[in-house]
Amino acid sequence: MNSKAAITGVYGYVPDYILTNAELEKMVDTSDEWITSRTGIKERHILKGEGLGTSHMAAKAVEGLLTKTGTAPEEVELLICATTTPDYVFPSTANLICDMTGIRAVGSFDIQAACSGFLYALTIGSQFIETGKYKKVVVVGADKMSAIVDYTDRTTCVLFGDGAGAVLLEANTEGNGIYDSIIRSDGAGQNHLVQKAGGSRYPPTHETIDKRWHYVYQDGPSVFKFAVKNMADVSAEIMERNHLTGSDVAWLVPHQANKRIIEATANRMGLGMDRVMLNIHKYGNTTAATIPLCLFDYEPVLKKGDNLILAAFGGGFTWGAVYLKWAI
């Protein structure tokens, strides 16, 4: 049997500080009832401390992953980090993670596909395993969204949290691992979910800061409409082309942006919510970290051979799905 790239370990990390809906009620004109009914979010974890960036959370996740799987840093041959909130424009956050975790002289780079980033990185990383190029690849999804959230904007500040998750990819010859993936994008959606300044188009100036262009901007209704359709469509498509019905799928592992979007996707797939991984209530939207954090939280109930559908959408727009059989 041809070997497949399989997740052989998963680890998650969230910072200690918890930002509750009650605390947000004191910051902006909102309420616990409003936030919960529209998003499903109750609290989110926030990274506090001067000079701490996405890499600090990601390194914690990678360290935990290496310890858990008994993997020495020198055994890792490639590290890919999916993030929308890199520590710096350069060097890459992946470079920093490798330095912090003792992973030396290997390929490492960042992937930026917003909330779909982890699926993009997983799809890329799996190719190196399937071709036999590498034996051990680490894929990290991590974001410090609190760094780019405007805590005076009630439409966005209630949504996001900070966190990191990492997986180890290795070859599997038992029939488990990644069977199929779909990654898509449509740049026409760029203006609906965007950080307008800080890049080469609008470098930082007093004007861009005054206009609050360095924070997340989201046109909520447009993003919601797009996400509901495309996350559901791509999940249905990957099931159809792999001849799967709802009864074949053990778990949907959806990007945790909004509970209503997740429910719509599950409904389209013919799945009850009892087979949907859900942790948005305690983490909010951690962008590239949501899917690995779900896998980490739900690992105790997963069984070897379980069919999982991973699905996400994000700014860009980007979206995608992965079909895998759990290998641990």
Side-chain angles (χ1 to χ4, degrees):
M1 179 179 289
N2 292 335
S3 65
K4 298 187 180 301
I7 294 173
T8 58
V10 59
Y11 201 86
Y13 173 83
V14 290
D16 293 334
Y17 186 87
I18 295 174
L19 178 61
T20 63
N21 289 350
E23 190 173 346
L24 282 168
E25 287 176 355
K26 299 172 186 174
M27 298 163 66
V28 291
D29 182 16
T30 191
S31 69
D32 174 62
E33 191 281 327
W34 190 93
I35 298 169
T36 305
S37 64
R38 285 163 178 78
T39 69
I41 302 168
K42 284 288 188 183
E43 55 190 36
R44 61 294 285 148
H45 291 246
I46 303 296
L47 181 63
K48 299 276 192 177
E50 187 177 349
L52 297 181
T54 295
S55 64
H56 294 83
M57 296 183 293
K60 294 275 192 185
V62 172
E63 285 171 350
L65 176 71
L66 297 182
T67 299
K68 181 179 174 182
T69 59
T71 304
E74 54 268 23
E75 291 181 85
V76 177
E77 295 164 287
L78 177 69
L79 186 143
I80 306 171
C81 176
T83 187
T84 304
T85 54
D87 288 41
Y88 307 114
V89 173
F90 66 90
S92 75
T93 303
N95 288 175
L96 305 178
I97 297 164
C98 286
D99 183 56
M100 291 176 178
T101 56
I103 298 171
R104 306 286 174 206
V106 305
S108 70
F109 55 90
D110 291 355
I111 290 293
Q112 212 290 60
C115 298
S116 306
F118 181 78
L119 291 192
Y120 270 61
L122 191 67
T123 299
I124 293 166
S126 68
Q127 313 300 312
F128 289 92
I129 299 294
E130 290 171 9
T131 60
K133 177 77 172 177
Y134 296 132
K135 291 184 172 62
K136 294 180 188 288
V137 172
V138 171
V139 176
V140 191
D143 272 297
K144 183 187 175 183
M145 292 304 293
S146 63
I148 59 169
V149 165
D150 182 352
Y151 285 97
T152 67
D153 177 6
R154 67 175 183 174
T155 64
T156 56
C157 73
V158 302
L159 301 175
F160 296 100
D162 303 338
V167 299
L168 179 64
L169 293 177
E170 296 180 277
N172 182 285
T173 56
E174 299 174 351
N176 297 319
I178 296 171
Y179 271 72
D180 197 6
S181 63
I182 301 170
I183 51 175
R184 299 237 166 92
S185 68
D186 183 354
Q190 63 189 276
N191 294 326
H192 298 305
L193 185 51
V194 61
Q195 183 183 330
K196 296 177 182 179
S200 60
R201 188 176 293 197
Y202 294 104
T205 64
H206 284 294
E207 185 182 11
T208 64
I209 292 169
D210 291 343
K211 288 181 175 179
R212 308 185 81 77
W213 279 7
H214 294 266
Y215 295 117
V216 175
Y217 167 78
Q218 176 171 284
D219 173 7
S222 297
V223 174
F224 183 86
K225 183 179 177 182
F226 179 92
V228 166
K229 181 182 188 306
N230 286 280
M231 194 159 130
D233 282 354
V234 78
S235 301
E237 181 182 344
I238 206 164
M239 287 173 65
E240 287 164 13
R241 74 187 206 181
N242 289 281
H243 312 293
L244 298 170
T245 64
S247 60
D248 298 318
V249 178
W251 292 95
L252 166 64
V253 191
H255 169 54
Q256 307 284 303
N258 182 298
K259 191 178 179 185
R260 292 186 294 171
I261 296 170
I262 294 169
E263 288 169 345
T265 302
N267 186 58
R268 176 74 181 278
M269 295 170 64
L271 291 181
M273 288 301 289
D274 60 327
R275 286 189 285 148
V276 177
M277 294 190 187
L278 202 64
N279 60 13
I280 189 172
H281 55 288
K282 58 181 181 176
Y283 301 139
N285 181 353
T286 55
T287 307
T290 64
I291 287 176
L293 281 173
C294 273
L295 292 173
F296 181 61
D297 279 359
Y298 279 80
E299 185 183 11
V301 300
L302 294 176
K303 301 179 183 67
K304 186 182 284 192
D306 276 355
N307 287 322
L308 307 186
I309 302 292
L310 285 51
F313 74 92
F317 288 123
T318 61
W319 67 102
V322 169
Y323 161 46
L324 64 83
K325 285 184 179 288
W326 194 244
I328 307 173

